[in-house]
Each structure stands twice: as C-alpha cells, then as structure tokens.
Amino acid sequence: MSQLESFRYHFTDDPQAGGAPPGPESVRGVGAPEGVTESRGFNSAESAARFYLAEKLAVEESPALREAVREDRPERVPDLVLSMERRQAATGTTLVRFEQTRQEIPVFGAEVLVEIDEDQRLVSMDGRLGEVAGVGPVPELSGTEALERVRSATGSTVDAAELPPPALTYVNRDDRWHLAWHLREVPAQLPENRREAGRRGHGLGASPREAFPLTGYLVDAHSGEILKSYGMAPTITVPTRLEGEDEVSARHRFHGSRQNGSFLLHDQWRQIATYDLDFADIDTAPPPASAIGSPQADFGSGHRAGVSAHVNAERVEKYYRDQLVRNGIDDADMDLVSLVNCTYHEDGPGPEWFNAVWFKGRMWYGQVSEGGRLVSLARHLDVIAHEMTHGVIETSSDLIYQDQSGALNESLADTMGVAIANWYEAPDRSDVSTWSWELGAGMGGGGKPLRDLSDPTRTGDPDHMRDYLDTTHDSGGVHTNSNIHNKAMFHLLTSVDAAGLPVLKVEEWALMIYLALVRLLRESDFADMRRALQDVTSTYLVGNPALQSAARTAIDEAYEKVGLPA
C-alpha cells in the first residue's frame, strides 16, 4: 500500500559519534547553526529536532527524504508539522514527533520521531516520508459523499454527525498517489473484514467494541474508491449526543460532552463550545467558567439561545470543513466559541441588544423581545455564517475594512452567509431557483431583510457601479456598496449556458468564490476578486477546456452586468 522511504539513526550506531549523542556542531561540522547560541542552546526541543532533521535528511540519497528539506526556508523542514512533544522521565530525553504534509494536507503514515537529550543533543531518529507527486489538493467528492460510499459498502446507516469531521490526506496505493478523505472511528466494517461468527477477539466475553468495531477509511476524493480500511481503538474524548429546542421551537440533536454529572454544550471533537454571558456587557464581563450545562442530555426548552448558537456554529464549521476543505474558521483548527445573552453598553443597558458579531475571535449574540420573551439572534443561520465568514477573511486575506476592499469584505460574508444557509435550509440545495437570496429576513426596516442579493434596490441599495456611493461614512459605504458585488455574485451563482443549464453546480461556484477569497490581498477590490475567480476557475477546470471557457464567460458576464467590464 505505502511507498514511503524509511530512515533511522541512533548515536550508538554512528561510528563518528564516539559513543555519545552528537551536538549541533558535530552534526553540521561547521560552527553553531542558526537558532542556537553558545549560552542558551536551541530555544526549544522542536527547534533542535528540526535542525537535526534538516542536516540528516539533506545528505540522504532518497528524493522522498530530501524533499522534506528546503534551503530557501528558515525552518528547513517546512513540510513536517509538529504533532507531539513529550519528555521521557525514565530516559531523561524528549521525544518530538512530526507529521509530513504537502500543501498543508497530511501524508497518511508519513511521520518522524526525533529524540533529544537534556543537553539538546541528538539521540535517535526514526521516520518514514514520501515524495507526493501527480495529484492535486482539490477534491471532486465531498467528505459527506465519501461517507456515503462507506455506508454503501458496509450496509450501515451511520450519521456523519456521529463521527469526527472528515479530513483530506494523501495516500499511496500501488505506486500511485491519491488525494483521499480520511474518515475516522466509523462504527462499521467492510463485510470481508468482519470477524467470523462464534470467534472471540480478545478471549473474554462479549464487548460493545466487538459489536461496533471502530474503523478508519481512506476514500479516494476523486473516484470514491475505498483505498484502505483499518481498525481503530476508541478515543478518550468521545462526544455525547444531546438534544434540545432552539429559538423557533425546532428540536435538534447535536454534540457536547459530559463532565462531573453535567451535560455541556462543549463538543471536544469539533472544538465547538457555547457559553452564557447572562446579559452581562461584552466589554467588561469576565469569560464564563464553563459551557452551558444541563443535568439531562435533553436540554428541553430551557436553553433555546444556547442550542441555536451551538447547532448553527456546528453547521457553519461543517460546511467550511466539508464543502470548502478549510480546517476550521482560521484554517488552523481554532476553537469555535459562541456566547449568548450578551449586552453592550454603547447600545443601551439591555437586556435587549439587536446584534450578532464576530469579535475577538468568537461569536457574541444579542437578543430582542418577541412574543413576551427574549429571542436570541443566534436563530439566524445566514447572519451567523456571515459573521463567521468575517473570521475566515480576517485569518486569510484580511481585507482592509475600508472603501471598496471593505465593501468586498462585506459582500463575500453576505455571499457565504446566503450559500451556507441555503445549503441547510433550501427545499433543494442544488437548485438555486429554490433558494432564498435574503440575508437577515425581517431584520431590516419595514419587515424587509438586511440585504437581498437578487435585488439590492429592494432595500434601497445600489446594484450597479453607476450608483456607487462615494462617502466617508460607514468606512466608505461598505454596507451600501457591497450590494453591487452581491448582485454580481447572484448573477454568477445563477448563471446558465445556452441550453439553460447551470454552468457549474452551485457548490462548485461556492468553492471557487472561497478559493478566490483566500488568495486576495488586503486592499483588493471588486476587479481583483474577478481576476482571482478567473484564476482559480481556470486551475480547477484545467482538464476541461470547454467548461473552463464557459465558466470564465459566466464570470465576465456576472461582473459586466453590474458595470465592471474587463
């Protein structure tokens, strides 16, 4: 299955080591390396391990091993990501473990372990690395579709919500590299891997681990073929299935944890936690000590705001991971924290606060009085997705929130907010004719939405560059001029060919918009976004010239219709 090159080093096998672990000078042979000083040595075990790896791998004959070393990068081994650092009291050494990645996607089974002694000298190395080639980082199938292939092959009905989020990985099979979805802890085996009837595994009595064996799967992200399956031991942090009512009295099942007899809105698998600020001021209140809790797994109707925020945060996070292949809001697996029942002194004493905002790396939700009770703005999935997309922009292109780059920032948040909401709520997510193009339905003046991508003039906003508002207010009119780009996005998402068929599936357009978003510069404008869309679409469709041409034409027409010629 695996075409990984192995290497090993131990100072006792090294005749040049002289019976003692070598230090940096003897490994390099010419003075002290970068990042080490005579008085203090390396600044961490990781930096020491990276130095020794760079020096040892640079002289290896195998291309797969030399591939991990780059002379033009300061860390020299940028494709190795730290996964663990642990001190071994019995040996007085520190183990540093790295996983290999390519284009920030893990390489399955490729890892290195480096052992450093108390004086930061090299004790041992053991590793397997691969030279990934002939495959790109963009999947054709989603993680959900990969799970469907596993369901079909195993005859199971496992719910995606019961599993850790799928992740992309590179894997080698029969001397060929594949991009694959890695599905973990699936409680279903392939028929050929099931234990024979009447045979006991560990020799004791019946066990739930044997009735529902956890299995890992690697599913080709292009063909859907199951490349590999393997048994897994259960993890320590198993999420707990919870349920409860949201702000519109809909019942949901979701995930949390159980601690000290309480059930908490804290999903440790997906790193999603929801807290109650208890109507305190977001500017001055200390953070709550614990996530929202309940004595029963059924939260009932007692925590509607928390349930709404928790469920919708899970939806947004899942969309970004599964459909757009982003590793959390910041693409670095950050915790997704929400706080409900918030107030803000600049908007009055409370308890009402008509806002929901991404601020300081987390979501803060206010509430309004409706029907004799306070109702959280966490009920609006589109608004939540909009605000969390600001977090995505903030941690990628970081578009300046001023003038046209600020309007583009707002428009992209609107576009993803509408796309994500319709992914979960439209009658037919794949048919844009069934979509709602409103953002914040009923939250604008006179019962209108905040914005309408299909008709910005409905809310008094421009839909063409001839009506672009030149102003110093609102950071240069970011919430007004964003509607011009919103209309371009509406034209793009609804574009059809000469036969009246969609140019691309709507989920493909959403992916193109995301891929363009993350490659923008801080002061990019509408025209820059257009060029970025052309670039990523050309790359994505490089193997289909006819479709590539149709998509590029659709992009041109979408922008030309709002007064942005090429």
Side-chain angles (χ1 to χ4, degrees):
M1 172 87 181
S2 176
Q3 285 296 314
L4 300 176
E5 297 287 343
S6 300
F7 72 98
R8 180 183 177 279
Y9 173 87
H10 198 284
F11 77 92
T12 57
D13 299 323
D14 182 357
Q16 298 180 347
E25 295 83 359
S26 58
V27 169
R28 167 168 280 188
V30 285
E34 297 175 10
V36 64
T37 64
E38 292 182 6
S39 59
R40 298 185 60 186
F42 294 101
N43 55 24
S44 68
E46 179 189 356
S47 62
R50 285 188 180 278
F51 165 75
Y52 291 122
L53 274 171
E55 295 302 315
K56 292 295 185 183
L57 293 177
V59 298
E60 289 284 345
E61 295 183 2
S62 165
L65 301 181
R66 291 200 308 272
E67 173 75 9
V69 182
R70 298 184 190 169
E71 294 289 351
D72 60 338
R73 297 288 292 274
E75 61 269 44
R76 294 283 301 285
V77 281
D79 289 339
L80 297 181
V81 177
L82 179 70
S83 62
M84 181 272 290
E85 183 176 313
R86 179 172 299 158
R87 169 139 177 96
Q88 302 287 101
T91 59
T93 59
T94 297
L95 300 180
V96 185
R97 185 182 297 274
F98 298 93
E99 293 181 348
Q100 186 184 6
T101 65
R102 183 174 185 269
Q103 297 170 301
E104 300 183 355
I105 295 175
V107 180
F108 186 79
E111 56 185 338
V112 178
L113 188 71
V114 182
E115 186 178 12
I116 308 295
D117 73 4
E118 293 177 331
D119 296 319
Q120 296 182 317
R121 298 178 300 177
L122 176 61
V123 175
S124 68
M125 289 183 185
D126 194 3
R128 293 162 52 113
L129 298 173
E131 184 183 17
V132 180
V135 61
V138 179
E140 293 184 16
L141 301 179
S142 69
T144 299
E145 290 170 318
L147 178 58
E148 187 56 42
R149 303 300 173 93
V150 172
R151 286 197 195 102
S152 177
T154 60
S156 70
T157 57
V158 61
D159 186 351
E162 302 284 350
L163 307 176
L168 287 172
T169 188
Y170 289 112
V171 62
N172 190 287
R173 177 177 175 179
D174 299 329
D175 292 332
R176 187 166 75 88
W177 285 98
H178 302 256
L179 180 68
W181 283 106
H182 188 188
L183 306 175
R184 295 164 293 153
E185 302 189 26
V186 181
Q189 283 183 310
L190 296 171
E192 60 267 28
N193 294 338
R194 293 168 187 164
R195 189 162 43 84
E196 296 178 19
R199 294 180 64 90
R200 291 184 174 181
H202 50 51
L204 303 176
S207 161
R209 267 182 64 180
E210 294 177 354
F212 304 99
L214 298 181
T215 305
Y217 289 92
L218 296 169
V219 181
D220 192 293
H222 295 281
S223 69
E225 178 188 2
I226 296 176
L227 301 171
K228 180 181 177 65
S229 69
Y230 62 95
M232 300 185 71
T235 59
I236 296 174
T237 56
V238 176
T240 301
R241 171 62 74 88
L242 308 175
E243 57 184 289
E245 292 185 15
D246 68 7
E247 286 287 25
V248 295
S249 300
R251 287 193 67 82
H252 296 275
R253 289 185 174 182
F254 47 89
H255 289 89
S257 59
R258 186 176 186 181
Q259 298 179 23
N260 301 322
S262 293
F263 296 90
L264 304 178
L265 296 184
H266 187 184
D267 182 350
Q268 297 182 33
W269 257 356
R270 297 161 186 82
Q271 297 176 253
I272 299 172
T274 306
Y275 298 83
D276 190 338
L277 206 60
D278 197 22
F279 305 106
D281 192 306
I282 66 174
D283 224 11
T284 58
S290 179
I292 295 171
S294 167
Q296 290 88 31
D298 187 343
F299 278 58
S301 60
H303 297 279
R304 294 175 183 267
V307 169
S308 293
H310 199 74
V311 168
N312 284 330
E314 184 175 296
R315 286 172 165 178
V316 176
E317 194 271 350
K318 178 177 173 57
Y319 185 90
Y320 268 105
R321 281 188 187 270
D322 200 354
Q323 302 303 316
L324 305 180
V325 201
R326 185 176 180 86
N327 188 19
I329 297 301
D330 67 343
D331 208 19
D333 216 21
M334 74 181 294
D335 291 349
L336 184 48
V337 175
S338 301
L339 295 98
V340 298
N341 296 325
C342 302
T343 62
Y344 183 47
H345 64 274
E346 294 287 347
D347 200 46
E352 291 189 79
W353 179 45
F354 187 56
N355 213 335
V357 61
W358 177 266
F359 176 62
K360 295 183 178 179
R362 54 194 60 186
M363 280 299 304
W364 309 78
Y365 295 103
Q367 50 285 321
V368 294
S369 180
E370 292 183 8
R373 69 180 182 90
L374 290 172
V375 178
S376 177
L377 269 68
R379 67 176 175 169
H380 296 283
L381 175 58
D382 55 350
V383 174
I384 294 171
H386 167 103
E387 289 297 329
M388 289 184 178
T389 298
H390 279 310
V392 172
I393 295 169
E394 176 185 292
T395 54
S396 55
S397 53
D398 196 20
L399 286 164
I400 295 291
Y401 202 71
Q402 181 70 39
D403 300 325
Q404 202 170 127
S405 62
L408 180 59
N409 190 322
E410 278 296 327
S411 173
L412 292 171
D414 281 353
T415 303
M416 297 312 301
V418 167
I420 292 171
N422 280 287
W423 185 257
Y424 292 102
E425 297 176 346
D428 183 351
R429 63 171 58 156
S430 63
D431 182 358
V432 291
S433 70
T434 72
W435 278 30
S436 168
W437 297 97
E438 296 182 344
L439 185 92
M443 297 175 70
K448 294 179 181 179
L450 296 174
R451 259 97 63 200
D452 185 337
L453 274 66
S454 66
D455 183 11
T457 64
R458 182 177 166 217
T459 54
D461 294 305
D463 64 356
H464 195 279
M465 286 298 292
R466 62 174 168 261
D467 298 317
Y468 187 93
L469 179 64
D470 289 309
T471 179
T472 58
H473 298 294
D474 189 27
S475 301
V478 297
H479 289 95
T480 300
N481 294 320
S482 61
N483 288 276
I484 299 171
H485 194 268
N486 279 355
K487 189 59 181 281
M489 294 296 94
F490 170 77
H491 289 313
L492 186 65
L493 291 166
T494 59
S495 59
V496 294
D497 61 18
L501 300 174
V503 176
L504 290 181
K505 293 187 291 186
V506 69
E507 56 264 37
E508 290 181 298
W509 278 131
L511 177 60
M512 296 305 101
I513 293 168
Y514 166 73
L515 293 175
L517 180 163
V518 298
R519 63 183 292 159
L520 295 173
L521 304 180
R522 298 189 71 199
E523 294 188 280
S524 292
D525 58 17
F526 296 166
D528 293 318
M529 179 63 185
R530 175 184 184 160
R531 285 188 287 269
L533 275 168
Q534 295 281 21
D535 289 343
V536 298
T537 304
S538 295
T539 301
Y540 182 72
L541 299 173
V542 67
N544 191 332
L547 188 55
Q548 181 188 78
S549 177
R552 290 178 63 90
T553 298
I555 294 168
D556 283 338
E557 291 179 349
Y559 280 86
E560 288 167 2
K561 287 177 180 178
V562 299
L564 282 162

